[in-house]
Amino acid sequence: GQPRNVQPFSDEDASIETMSHCSGFSDPASFTEDGPEVDEEATQEDLEYKLKGFIDLTLDKSAKTRQAALESLKSAFSSKILYEFIMERRMTLTDSIERCIKKGKSDEQCAAAGLACLLCVQMGSGIESEEIFKTLGPVLKKIVCDGTASIQARQACATCLGICCFIVTDDITELYSTMECLENIFTKAYQRDRDTNGVSSTHNTVLHVSALLAWTLLLTICPMNEVKKKIETHLHKLPSLLSCDDLNMRIAAGETLALLFELARETDADFFYEDMDLLTEKLRALATDGNKHRAKVDKRKQRSVFRDVLRAVEERDFPTEMVKFGPERMYIDCWVKKQTYETFKEILGSGMQYHLQSNDFLRNVFELGPPVTLDAATLKTMKISRFERHLYNSAAFKARTKARSKCRDKRADIGEFF
């Protein structure tokens, strides 16, 4: 490993040194930038040397240094497949993550929880991942249920708990236990404020949203008899969340309802919901919401989502989406697949396409088969050179400038009348 030379420096010096090392990971594209031919083996060794240094720095005395190291590891794990490197150091990484979640403050806990998700995504489902989850699962549950912990940390740990459990667990008891933990969090949002018709808005809403989405993800891998029980319990309560002041809660509740209806109709083709008229009325109101007190961007987003939710509930229809990655295409044709895709996209960010191409676990989840291998000649014909990309961007920039100039000219002419 890299020798730890940060001890003689102050916290500020150590964090500056760390950030200078981390800058190479700030942009995932830096891993795949066009340029002259390089020695791949030497590049890989250099990358691994840096990553070893970051792993060492997760034990540093400075909180800033630890957090910067965690963020750098997150950027690398989301942008590269590092299975063999991680396999040799999985216990060290697990111990570092556990320590940061237990002893760190809010931002450090969030970064550590995010890294735990990516660690499991890299390892996939297997005995090694189960060992990681056995160590981290109880710690994550404790933070999620700890009312004294920061909301941001609890939110990150709830998301992490759902994703890691989805990836790792073959133990049905552990699956149900994790779902119960998340259920205990988001069901608190069902409680109505006596003075209003809507759901009382509290600072805990972001936590309730994350817990609901993580729970919904785990519901997609439950046995059908358990799915039926959950539908009976929650289908009549979830519509109350559609009245919440928070946009993200309304959207999460709407998408969960669409998914529950989809699962219910899979288990029973003649599934009947008693309050269908009242529910479709609520959904239609949200799909055509013109409330002047809400931001235009929020209204557009809400209307777009709830048009799809209404179609799912009322007409059993789903608007198929296509995702492109490399030479491949994936069609998202149901709410279960959409929920799963959106969850992993949130974790992997711009690295989602790369992982869909190369990550065996994700390819199994989305039934894409083994990774497609292309020879160097084929890749070269598909790749746009840096110069061509520069010309395209320049042309697009000029076109935007001209269009905006015309709009400004029109506004200037209108101003002459006053």
Side-chain angles (χ1 to χ4, degrees):
Q2 180 179 346
R4 298 186 58 215
N5 297 323
V6 293
Q7 290 296 337
F9 300 111
S10 66
D11 285 358
E12 289 76 12
D13 292 333
S15 63
I16 290 167
E17 184 187 35
T18 306
M19 289 307 292
S20 67
H21 285 302
C22 299
S23 61
F25 297 105
S26 59
D27 179 13
S30 63
F31 289 109
T32 55
E33 198 63 44
D34 294 336
E37 293 295 325
V38 293
D39 185 346
E40 289 185 9
E41 189 175 340
T43 304
Q44 183 68 18
E45 286 178 4
D46 184 50
L47 171 62
E48 290 185 4
Y49 179 76
K50 286 183 179 179
L51 294 178
K52 288 173 191 174
F54 295 143
I55 292 171
D56 287 343
L57 290 170
T58 59
L59 304 173
D60 196 78
K61 291 180 180 178
S62 164
K64 288 181 181 179
T65 303
R66 292 195 303 272
Q67 188 182 333
L70 291 168
E71 293 292 350
S72 297
L73 289 168
K74 280 175 61 181
S75 295
F77 285 12
S78 63
S79 306
K80 280 277 189 183
I81 300 295
L82 299 162
Y83 180 81
E84 291 179 6
F85 174 84
I86 292 170
M87 177 67 84
E88 295 174 7
R89 298 164 182 83
R90 65 185 187 281
M91 297 314 296
T92 305
L93 280 162
T94 305
D95 290 343
S96 292
I97 290 169
E98 182 184 12
R99 190 178 291 104
C100 291
I101 292 175
K102 279 183 175 178
K103 298 183 178 180
K105 292 187 179 178
S106 180
D107 290 342
E108 187 179 340
Q109 289 174 312
C110 291
L115 182 59
C117 291
L118 292 168
L119 182 61
C120 286
V121 170
Q122 287 273 349
M123 298 301 295
S125 53
I127 296 171
E128 295 81 13
S129 296
E130 287 178 20
E131 290 174 0
I132 293 168
F133 190 63
K134 279 178 184 176
T135 303
L136 297 180
V139 181
L140 293 168
K141 286 179 184 177
K142 186 176 180 180
I143 297 293
V144 169
C145 301
D146 183 2
T148 61
S150 78
I151 291 297
Q152 290 75 19
R154 294 175 71 192
Q155 180 187 7
C157 288
T159 300
C160 179
L161 189 61
I163 290 173
C164 292
C165 185
F166 177 88
I167 294 170
V168 169
T169 188
D170 283 330
D171 181 0
I172 202 73
T173 309
E174 182 59 40
L175 174 62
Y176 292 164
S177 168
T178 303
M179 289 185 73
E180 185 180 356
C181 173
L182 295 167
E183 220 166 349
N184 290 337
I185 300 299
F186 77 79
T187 49
K188 292 175 183 175
Y190 290 156
Q191 298 170 0
R192 289 177 179 272
D193 190 332
R194 293 179 182 178
D195 299 328
T196 63
N197 294 325
V199 175
S200 57
S201 182
T202 69
H203 68 290
N204 289 327
T205 302
V206 289
L207 171 62
H208 296 158
V209 171
S210 294
L212 175 60
L213 293 174
W215 176 86
T216 307
L217 177 70
L218 294 179
L219 186 66
T220 63
I221 59 172
C222 275
M224 279 303 174
N225 60 338
E226 186 66 19
V227 170
K228 286 181 181 178
K229 290 178 187 175
K230 296 299 184 186
I231 288 171
E232 288 173 8
T233 304
H234 294 281
L235 198 55
H236 292 281
K237 297 176 181 177
L238 274 167
S240 66
L241 303 183
L242 298 174
S243 305
C244 183
D245 293 337
D246 187 88
L247 172 67
N248 292 323
M249 176 56 90
R250 294 197 298 274
I251 288 175
E255 292 183 338
T256 301
L257 278 167
L259 188 141
L260 289 180
F261 269 92
E262 183 175 273
L263 291 174
R265 286 162 177 164
E266 281 180 14
T267 57
D268 179 9
D270 300 320
F271 172 76
F272 175 75
Y273 181 65
E274 294 176 0
D275 300 322
M276 181 63 87
D277 291 341
L278 182 61
L279 177 60
T280 51
E281 186 182 334
K282 271 188 176 183
L283 294 175
R284 192 171 286 108
L286 290 165
T288 57
D289 188 8
N291 194 325
K292 292 181 179 179
H293 299 292
R294 288 177 182 156
K296 286 184 180 180
V297 175
D298 288 353
K299 282 190 286 188
R300 277 199 295 270
K301 185 177 179 182
Q302 176 183 288
R303 288 197 291 257
S304 174
V305 169
F306 279 96
R307 280 196 294 267
D308 293 341
V309 172
L310 183 62
R311 283 171 62 184
V313 171
E314 202 171 32
E315 304 170 24
R316 305 187 180 204
D317 190 22
F318 181 86
T320 303
E321 302 171 24
M322 183 178 72
V323 179
K324 298 179 182 180
F325 49 99
E328 298 179 84
R329 306 287 181 272
M330 179 176 74
Y331 291 93
I332 298 175
D333 52 7
C334 64
W335 283 97
V336 169
K337 204 168 185 178
K338 178 183 170 67
Q339 171 75 11
T340 309
Y341 175 78
E342 292 295 336
T343 301
F344 283 100
K345 186 181 176 184
E346 186 70 25
I347 291 298
L348 290 165
S350 58
M352 183 65 178
Q353 291 188 351
Y354 177 80
H355 277 265
L356 281 174
Q357 286 179 269
S358 310
N359 188 310
D360 288 331
F361 165 73
L362 273 188
R363 292 185 70 85
N364 286 334
V365 167
F366 294 108
E367 300 176 343
L368 296 171
V372 176
T373 54
L374 298 172
D375 56 61
T378 308
L379 284 170
K380 195 169 184 180
T381 57
M382 293 172 60
K383 202 169 188 180
I384 301 172
S385 71
R386 181 181 290 184
F387 180 66
E388 288 173 326
R389 194 162 64 224
H390 172 71
L391 291 176
Y392 173 79
N393 288 338
S394 296
F397 177 76
K398 286 177 183 176
R400 280 198 304 273
T401 305
K402 283 182 180 179
R404 287 172 182 168
S405 297
K406 286 179 182 178
C407 291
R408 291 188 183 110
D409 290 344
K410 287 177 183 176
R411 284 198 290 270
D413 292 341
I414 292 167
E416 295 295 327
F417 290 101
F418 292 97

